[in-house]
Amino acid sequence: MFLVNDSVEDRRHKIIGFVDNGEIAIAVLLAAANFEWTLRRCIIGLGISKTSDFNKKNGIFDGCHGLKDYKKVWKKEVTPFVEQTLPEVILNWQYLKEKAFPLRHKLIHGVEGPPGVGYGRERVLGLINASEALIEYASSKDVNIFDRIKARRKERGSLA
């Protein structure tokens, strides 16, 4: 649904377009997919491990699903480099954990039908804002997640 070179504004516009057209469930799922993609790119770009270690079989992201797992991976990979936890970077972490992601899970697993417009819009905006906070944070550390992430052949901090 998104391309790597789609801008932050393009992503926001596309997701909000589904809200405006009454397709709340689709907007929630797109916002969640955008958030997870953004989070994974930030972890890779800011992480300490070799970039090849992230997506390989039995790699860092293997079996990583949900906020709890992403928080653990961030703590292991990113916090040693930037000294900030994921909830310190995403100021609406509790909202994501308690409101936005539970709706995403209910929708994706067919437990619940589409939410009302106001209810869904609020959660969509929470996901979008969290994504944009991550993008801004990565950018402040000179990592553009929309560019090709430079391959690290050694762990960060190792001698060249």
Side-chain angles (χ1 to χ4, degrees):
M1 183 47 94
F2 299 111
L3 302 172
V4 173
N5 60 355
D6 286 346
S7 70
V8 176
E9 296 81 16
D10 290 342
R11 289 165 183 258
R12 176 183 273 272
H13 180 75
K14 189 176 281 189
I15 294 166
I16 295 299
F18 281 98
V19 173
D20 293 342
N21 289 330
E23 302 275 2
I24 303 301
I26 293 171
V28 169
L29 296 175
L30 282 177
N34 180 56
F35 170 76
E36 290 186 62
W37 179 87
T38 301
L39 180 54
R40 289 170 81 96
R41 295 281 294 175
C42 286
I43 291 170
I44 294 168
L46 295 167
I48 59 172
S49 293
K50 298 183 298 185
T51 53
S52 62
D53 288 346
F54 285 93
N55 292 316
K56 68 183 181 182
K57 186 175 172 122
N58 298 318
I60 294 163
F61 284 139
D62 198 32
C64 182
H65 306 287
L67 294 179
K68 190 176 182 180
D69 288 348
Y70 284 121
K71 185 178 171 185
K72 286 179 189 175
V73 171
W74 181 283
K75 185 177 182 178
K76 181 179 179 243
E77 283 296 322
V78 180
T79 300
F81 178 58
V82 299
E83 298 178 346
Q84 286 189 284
T85 65
L86 193 52
E88 290 172 330
V89 174
I90 300 174
L91 300 180
N92 66 342
W93 181 260
Q94 281 304 114
Y95 183 84
L96 286 181
K97 186 174 147 186
E98 296 170 6
K99 308 278 186 185
F101 254 72
L103 177 57
R104 173 249 183 241
H105 293 318
K106 289 175 184 175
L107 290 172
I108 203 73
H109 296 293
V111 174
E112 195 170 287
V117 174
Y119 183 89
R121 177 186 291 274
E122 189 177 295
R123 280 139 183 86
V124 164
L125 291 175
L127 287 159
I128 290 172
N129 291 339
S131 299
E132 291 175 358
L134 284 168
I135 293 163
E136 188 175 311
Y137 185 76
S139 181
S140 77
K141 303 295 182 190
D142 296 321
V143 173
N144 182 345
I145 66 163
F146 299 103
D147 285 345
R148 184 162 194 243
I149 294 175
K150 186 177 178 188
R152 280 186 306 281
R153 301 203 193 300
K154 294 182 180 184
E155 284 192 6
R156 243 186 247 279
S158 14
L159 299 172

PDB file of all heavy atoms in Angstrom, residues 7-26:
ATOM      1  N   SER A   7       6.229   9.984   1.021  1.00  0.00           N
ATOM      2  CA  SER A   7       6.582  10.912   2.101  1.00  0.00           C
ATOM      3  C   SER A   7       5.657  10.717   3.301  1.00  0.00           C
ATOM      4  O   SER A   7       4.606  10.065   3.207  1.00  0.00           O
ATOM      5  CB  SER A   7       6.479  12.355   1.611  1.00  0.00           C
ATOM      6  OG  SER A   7       5.113  12.695   1.405  1.00  0.00           O
ATOM      7  N   VAL A   8       6.036  11.304   4.405  1.00  0.00           N
ATOM      8  CA  VAL A   8       5.211  11.285   5.619  1.00  0.00           C
ATOM      9  C   VAL A   8       3.841  11.877   5.302  1.00  0.00           C
ATOM     10  O   VAL A   8       2.805  11.334   5.701  1.00  0.00           O
ATOM     11  CB  VAL A   8       5.893  12.090   6.748  1.00  0.00           C
ATOM     12  CG1 VAL A   8       5.026  12.170   7.983  1.00  0.00           C
ATOM     13  CG2 VAL A   8       7.249  11.517   7.072  1.00  0.00           C
ATOM     14  N   GLU A   9       3.840  12.975   4.568  1.00  0.00           N
ATOM     15  CA  GLU A   9       2.590  13.644   4.218  1.00  0.00           C
ATOM     16  C   GLU A   9       1.723  12.766   3.319  1.00  0.00           C
ATOM     17  O   GLU A   9       0.503  12.713   3.500  1.00  0.00           O
ATOM     18  CB  GLU A   9       2.869  14.989   3.514  1.00  0.00           C
ATOM     19  CG  GLU A   9       3.576  16.006   4.381  1.00  0.00           C
ATOM     20  CD  GLU A   9       5.100  15.786   4.475  1.00  0.00           C
ATOM     21  OE1 GLU A   9       5.691  15.045   3.647  1.00  0.00           O
ATOM     22  OE2 GLU A   9       5.696  16.342   5.406  1.00  0.00           O
ATOM     23  N   ASP A  10       2.345  12.074   2.352  1.00  0.00           N
ATOM     24  CA  ASP A  10       1.601  11.175   1.467  1.00  0.00           C
ATOM     25  C   ASP A  10       0.944  10.050   2.262  1.00  0.00           C
ATOM     26  O   ASP A  10      -0.205   9.695   2.022  1.00  0.00           O
ATOM     27  CB  ASP A  10       2.516  10.551   0.410  1.00  0.00           C
ATOM     28  CG  ASP A  10       3.005  11.540  -0.622  1.00  0.00           C
ATOM     29  OD1 ASP A  10       2.391  12.627  -0.757  1.00  0.00           O
ATOM     30  OD2 ASP A  10       4.011  11.243  -1.295  1.00  0.00           O
ATOM     31  N   ARG A  11       1.675   9.494   3.201  1.00  0.00           N
ATOM     32  CA  ARG A  11       1.150   8.410   4.027  1.00  0.00           C
ATOM     33  C   ARG A  11      -0.028   8.904   4.866  1.00  0.00           C
ATOM     34  O   ARG A  11      -1.069   8.260   4.927  1.00  0.00           O
ATOM     35  CB  ARG A  11       2.261   7.830   4.912  1.00  0.00           C
ATOM     36  CG  ARG A  11       3.277   7.036   4.133  1.00  0.00           C
ATOM     37  CD  ARG A  11       4.543   6.783   4.945  1.00  0.00           C
ATOM     38  NE  ARG A  11       5.513   6.079   4.141  1.00  0.00           N
ATOM     39  CZ  ARG A  11       5.758   4.772   4.235  1.00  0.00           C
ATOM     40  NH1 ARG A  11       5.144   4.032   5.119  1.00  0.00           N
ATOM     41  NH2 ARG A  11       6.636   4.206   3.444  1.00  0.00           N
ATOM     42  N   ARG A  12       0.172  10.039   5.527  1.00  0.00           N
ATOM     43  CA  ARG A  12      -0.905  10.607   6.350  1.00  0.00           C
ATOM     44  C   ARG A  12      -2.140  10.868   5.496  1.00  0.00           C
ATOM     45  O   ARG A  12      -3.257  10.510   5.876  1.00  0.00           O
ATOM     46  CB  ARG A  12      -0.435  11.897   7.023  1.00  0.00           C
ATOM     47  CG  ARG A  12      -1.521  12.599   7.828  1.00  0.00           C
ATOM     48  CD  ARG A  12      -1.032  13.915   8.430  1.00  0.00           C
ATOM     49  NE  ARG A  12      -0.412  13.734   9.706  1.00  0.00           N
ATOM     50  CZ  ARG A  12      -1.075  13.731  10.861  1.00  0.00           C
ATOM     51  NH1 ARG A  12      -2.381  13.882  10.877  1.00  0.00           N
ATOM     52  NH2 ARG A  12      -0.427  13.581  11.998  1.00  0.00           N
ATOM     53  N   HIS A  13      -1.945  11.498   4.347  1.00  0.00           N
ATOM     54  CA  HIS A  13      -3.058  11.835   3.451  1.00  0.00           C
ATOM     55  C   HIS A  13      -3.812  10.577   3.000  1.00  0.00           C
ATOM     56  O   HIS A  13      -5.043  10.557   2.984  1.00  0.00           O
ATOM     57  CB  HIS A  13      -2.519  12.621   2.252  1.00  0.00           C
ATOM     58  CG  HIS A  13      -3.572  13.008   1.271  1.00  0.00           C
ATOM     59  ND1 HIS A  13      -4.468  14.027   1.513  1.00  0.00           N
ATOM     60  CD2 HIS A  13      -3.882  12.490   0.057  1.00  0.00           C
ATOM     61  CE1 HIS A  13      -5.299  14.120   0.480  1.00  0.00           C
ATOM     62  NE2 HIS A  13      -4.958  13.214  -0.415  1.00  0.00           N
ATOM     63  N   LYS A  14      -3.076   9.545   2.633  1.00  0.00           N
ATOM     64  CA  LYS A  14      -3.701   8.310   2.168  1.00  0.00           C
ATOM     65  C   LYS A  14      -4.527   7.664   3.289  1.00  0.00           C
ATOM     66  O   LYS A  14      -5.664   7.250   3.078  1.00  0.00           O
ATOM     67  CB  LYS A  14      -2.639   7.331   1.671  1.00  0.00           C
ATOM     68  CG  LYS A  14      -3.210   6.104   0.979  1.00  0.00           C
ATOM     69  CD  LYS A  14      -2.115   5.224   0.423  1.00  0.00           C
ATOM     70  CE  LYS A  14      -1.608   5.786  -0.881  1.00  0.00           C
ATOM     71  NZ  LYS A  14      -0.688   4.891  -1.593  1.00  0.00           N
ATOM     72  N   ILE A  15      -3.961   7.602   4.481  1.00  0.00           N
ATOM     73  CA  ILE A  15      -4.667   6.977   5.609  1.00  0.00           C
ATOM     74  C   ILE A  15      -5.905   7.790   5.987  1.00  0.00           C
ATOM     75  O   ILE A  15      -6.997   7.238   6.142  1.00  0.00           O
ATOM     76  CB  ILE A  15      -3.713   6.823   6.821  1.00  0.00           C
ATOM     77  CG1 ILE A  15      -2.598   5.821   6.485  1.00  0.00           C
ATOM     78  CG2 ILE A  15      -4.483   6.357   8.053  1.00  0.00           C
ATOM     79  CD1 ILE A  15      -1.426   5.831   7.465  1.00  0.00           C
ATOM     80  N   ILE A  16      -5.750   9.103   6.127  1.00  0.00           N
ATOM     81  CA  ILE A  16      -6.882   9.964   6.493  1.00  0.00           C
ATOM     82  C   ILE A  16      -7.958   9.932   5.412  1.00  0.00           C
ATOM     83  O   ILE A  16      -9.148  10.043   5.709  1.00  0.00           O
ATOM     84  CB  ILE A  16      -6.401  11.409   6.772  1.00  0.00           C
ATOM     85  CG1 ILE A  16      -5.499  11.440   8.004  1.00  0.00           C
ATOM     86  CG2 ILE A  16      -7.580  12.363   6.948  1.00  0.00           C
ATOM     87  CD1 ILE A  16      -6.146  10.990   9.303  1.00  0.00           C
ATOM     88  N   GLY A  17      -7.551   9.737   4.163  1.00  0.00           N
ATOM     89  CA  GLY A  17      -8.526   9.612   3.081  1.00  0.00           C
ATOM     90  C   GLY A  17      -9.497   8.464   3.316  1.00  0.00           C
ATOM     91  O   GLY A  17     -10.694   8.577   3.025  1.00  0.00           O
ATOM     92  N   PHE A  18      -9.019   7.366   3.863  1.00  0.00           N
ATOM     93  CA  PHE A  18      -9.900   6.244   4.177  1.00  0.00           C
ATOM     94  C   PHE A  18     -10.842   6.592   5.331  1.00  0.00           C
ATOM     95  O   PHE A  18     -11.996   6.181   5.333  1.00  0.00           O
ATOM     96  CB  PHE A  18      -9.090   4.984   4.494  1.00  0.00           C
ATOM     97  CG  PHE A  18      -8.586   4.287   3.262  1.00  0.00           C
ATOM     98  CD1 PHE A  18      -7.296   4.497   2.814  1.00  0.00           C
ATOM     99  CD2 PHE A  18      -9.403   3.438   2.536  1.00  0.00           C
ATOM    100  CE1 PHE A  18      -6.825   3.878   1.671  1.00  0.00           C
ATOM    101  CE2 PHE A  18      -8.951   2.804   1.390  1.00  0.00           C
ATOM    102  CZ  PHE A  18      -7.649   3.022   0.955  1.00  0.00           C
ATOM    103  N   VAL A  19     -10.357   7.358   6.301  1.00  0.00           N
ATOM    104  CA  VAL A  19     -11.227   7.810   7.398  1.00  0.00           C
ATOM    105  C   VAL A  19     -12.324   8.700   6.818  1.00  0.00           C
ATOM    106  O   VAL A  19     -13.512   8.505   7.108  1.00  0.00           O
ATOM    107  CB  VAL A  19     -10.429   8.591   8.477  1.00  0.00           C
ATOM    108  CG1 VAL A  19     -11.364   9.205   9.508  1.00  0.00           C
ATOM    109  CG2 VAL A  19      -9.412   7.690   9.158  1.00  0.00           C
ATOM    110  N   ASP A  20     -11.933   9.666   5.995  1.00  0.00           N
ATOM    111  CA  ASP A  20     -12.889  10.613   5.418  1.00  0.00           C
ATOM    112  C   ASP A  20     -13.925   9.926   4.536  1.00  0.00           C
ATOM    113  O   ASP A  20     -15.044  10.420   4.395  1.00  0.00           O
ATOM    114  CB  ASP A  20     -12.156  11.694   4.628  1.00  0.00           C
ATOM    115  CG  ASP A  20     -11.312  12.598   5.518  1.00  0.00           C
ATOM    116  OD1 ASP A  20     -11.539  12.612   6.750  1.00  0.00           O
ATOM    117  OD2 ASP A  20     -10.412  13.278   4.984  1.00  0.00           O
ATOM    118  N   ASN A  21     -13.559   8.787   3.952  1.00  0.00           N
ATOM    119  CA  ASN A  21     -14.492   8.032   3.100  1.00  0.00           C
ATOM    120  C   ASN A  21     -15.290   7.000   3.891  1.00  0.00           C
ATOM    121  O   ASN A  21     -15.984   6.173   3.304  1.00  0.00           O
ATOM    122  CB  ASN A  21     -13.740   7.345   1.959  1.00  0.00           C
ATOM    123  CG  ASN A  21     -13.234   8.335   0.937  1.00  0.00           C
ATOM    124  OD1 ASN A  21     -13.833   9.380   0.717  1.00  0.00           O
ATOM    125  ND2 ASN A  21     -12.106   8.031   0.315  1.00  0.00           N
ATOM    126  N   GLY A  22     -15.146   7.017   5.212  1.00  0.00           N
ATOM    127  CA  GLY A  22     -15.914   6.100   6.043  1.00  0.00           C
ATOM    128  C   GLY A  22     -15.344   4.695   6.132  1.00  0.00           C
ATOM    129  O   GLY A  22     -15.988   3.794   6.661  1.00  0.00           O
ATOM    130  N   GLU A  23     -14.143   4.502   5.632  1.00  0.00           N
ATOM    131  CA  GLU A  23     -13.488   3.185   5.664  1.00  0.00           C
ATOM    132  C   GLU A  23     -12.573   3.119   6.887  1.00  0.00           C
ATOM    133  O   GLU A  23     -11.355   2.986   6.770  1.00  0.00           O
ATOM    134  CB  GLU A  23     -12.677   2.979   4.377  1.00  0.00           C
ATOM    135  CG  GLU A  23     -13.479   3.088   3.111  1.00  0.00           C
ATOM    136  CD  GLU A  23     -14.159   1.781   2.732  1.00  0.00           C
ATOM    137  OE1 GLU A  23     -14.034   0.799   3.479  1.00  0.00           O
ATOM    138  OE2 GLU A  23     -14.798   1.764   1.683  1.00  0.00           O
ATOM    139  N   ILE A  24     -13.175   3.185   8.061  1.00  0.00           N
ATOM    140  CA  ILE A  24     -12.421   3.299   9.306  1.00  0.00           C
ATOM    141  C   ILE A  24     -11.541   2.078   9.546  1.00  0.00           C
ATOM    142  O   ILE A  24     -10.377   2.206   9.940  1.00  0.00           O
ATOM    143  CB  ILE A  24     -13.374   3.516  10.503  1.00  0.00           C
ATOM    144  CG1 ILE A  24     -14.246   4.755  10.288  1.00  0.00           C
ATOM    145  CG2 ILE A  24     -12.593   3.615  11.802  1.00  0.00           C
ATOM    146  CD1 ILE A  24     -13.492   6.032  10.110  1.00  0.00           C
ATOM    147  N   ALA A  25     -12.076   0.895   9.335  1.00  0.00           N
ATOM    148  CA  ALA A  25     -11.292  -0.328   9.587  1.00  0.00           C
ATOM    149  C   ALA A  25     -10.040  -0.347   8.719  1.00  0.00           C
ATOM    150  O   ALA A  25      -8.948  -0.678   9.196  1.00  0.00           O
ATOM    151  CB  ALA A  25     -12.144  -1.567   9.346  1.00  0.00           C
ATOM    152  N   ILE A  26     -10.186   0.018   7.457  1.00  0.00           N
ATOM    153  CA  ILE A  26      -9.028   0.049   6.556  1.00  0.00           C
ATOM    154  C   ILE A  26      -8.022   1.090   7.039  1.00  0.00           C
ATOM    155  O   ILE A  26      -6.809   0.843   7.059  1.00  0.00           O
ATOM    156  CB  ILE A  26      -9.465   0.326   5.100  1.00  0.00           C
ATOM    157  CG1 ILE A  26     -10.269  -0.864   4.577  1.00  0.00           C
ATOM    158  CG2 ILE A  26      -8.258   0.596   4.204  1.00  0.00           C
ATOM    159  CD1 ILE A  26     -10.933  -0.636   3.240  1.00  0.00           C
TER     160      ILE A  26
END
